[in-house]
Amino acid sequence: MSGLQARLIEIYNRLLGHFGSRHWWPAKTDFEVIVGAILTQNVAWRNVEKAILNLEAQGLLDPQQLVDAPLELVEEAVRPTRYYRQKAQRLRGFCEFLIREYQGDLGKLFSLEIEELRAELLALKGIGQETADSIILYAARKPIFVVDAYTRRIFYRLGLLPENAAYDEMQNLFMRHLPPDTKLYNEYHALIDGLGNNLCANKKPGCEECPLVEICVYHKNESE
Ligand code: SF4
């Protein structure tokens, strides 16, 4: 085991010991995961939950229904998420693509290899790397590591990434040093987000309660 791999696993074990399993992604179906991944851009998860409940109440948690419904109805349902008009278009764009290219069958889309699947998703308007990777990991259940702003902040503070690390650089840190294990990647990302959400805030992080405090460069420097 490389030194970096050992550190990444230690961090994982500390986070898991503190937070327990996060049971992420909270969704009843794979399609709902995709809807959540598109809606969660730039907005808190509680807003996404409201939008998903609205979509469900309108019978719109289905690709064909979502394409057939008046766009205004979709917009109204996703209004709790910011940029709701744009997001309604993105949801519809994904559904149109799924129906046109894969007969509305997520199983067919997900039968692609990771690289091909990622390229297909990234070609769609409004689907960036984090959204595509969330869909691949949490809906298609294939081993790709999802990273985000929390990952950058926390792993910079731990001394494992530069402050302005790019998406690929962050993703490589995990994927080059950890085995391609869907379960591990699923839980690890969820734990990082749990720490970012609950303790490792941008200003005034809650270091006293943090399970990483003994190995955190930022905390060490701040307390000197
Ligand atoms: S010790 Fe503090 S700064 Fe370091 S990871 Fe934990 S909360 Fe963030």
Side-chain angles (χ1 to χ4, degrees):
M1 191 186 289
S2 74
L4 206 41
Q5 184 181 27
R7 286 184 77 185
L8 291 174
I9 289 177
E10 182 188 357
I11 293 164
Y12 174 80
N13 285 332
R14 282 173 178 258
L15 291 173
L16 188 64
H18 184 84
F19 290 110
S21 177
R22 305 281 292 165
H23 304 293
W24 204 248
W25 187 290
K28 293 187 207 121
T29 64
D30 294 342
F31 183 65
E32 196 181 307
V33 174
I34 295 168
V35 170
I38 291 172
L39 294 180
T40 197
Q41 295 168 6
N42 302 308
V43 74
W45 183 254
R46 62 181 174 278
N47 298 57
V48 177
E49 285 175 331
K50 285 183 201 157
I52 286 178
L53 285 175
N54 292 345
L55 288 166
E56 192 174 23
Q58 298 286 351
L60 296 176
L61 280 180
D62 170 87
Q64 191 66 57
Q65 302 294 336
L66 207 140
V67 167
D68 291 344
L71 187 59
E72 300 74 43
L73 194 65
V74 183
E75 287 176 353
E76 201 45 46
V78 304
R79 190 185 270 269
T81 63
R82 283 159 84 195
Y83 314 112
Y84 65 94
R85 288 210 168 91
Q86 209 178 46
K87 287 182 179 175
Q89 294 276 11
R90 288 175 184 174
L91 284 181
R92 181 166 283 196
F94 173 81
C95 294
E96 285 169 349
F97 152 81
L98 184 67
I99 291 165
R100 188 179 62 244
E101 304 292 333
Y102 296 92
Q103 298 74 53
D105 184 348
L106 278 179
K108 278 191 187 159
L109 174 64
F110 291 165
S111 69
L112 300 177
E113 295 296 322
I114 289 181
E115 282 314 311
E116 211 183 334
L117 174 55
R118 194 170 196 258
E120 285 278 72
L121 294 171
L122 288 175
L124 298 173
K125 204 167 175 196
I127 297 201
Q129 295 185 99
E130 186 186 336
T131 308
D133 291 345
S134 297
I135 293 171
I136 297 169
L137 180 63
Y138 290 103
R141 298 179 191 81
K142 293 178 190 276
I144 196 157
F145 207 99
V146 182
V147 292
D148 56 14
Y150 287 143
T151 316
R152 185 179 292 109
R153 183 194 303 152
I154 293 167
F155 284 79
Y156 163 66
R157 288 176 169 176
L158 293 173
L160 294 174
L161 281 174
E163 191 169 11
N164 56 357
Y167 190 95
D168 292 347
E169 191 176 359
M170 294 193 276
Q171 190 173 55
N172 286 340
L173 171 69
F174 297 93
M175 293 193 65
R176 289 197 179 143
H177 297 97
L178 293 174
D181 179 334
T182 304
K183 210 162 160 253
L184 173 68
Y185 288 7
N186 172 326
E187 192 67 70
Y188 209 151
H189 170 72
L191 288 166
I192 291 168
D193 275 23
L195 182 66
N197 237 327
N198 294 296
L199 292 173
C200 197
N202 195 18
K203 290 180 188 153
K204 298 194 186 153
C207 302
E208 274 60 43
E209 291 173 53
C210 179
L212 307 180
V213 68
E214 292 105 343
I215 54 171
C216 181
V217 175
Y218 175 93
H219 176 74
K220 186 168 179 283
N221 292 342
E222 288 292 300
S223 36
E224 276 173 5

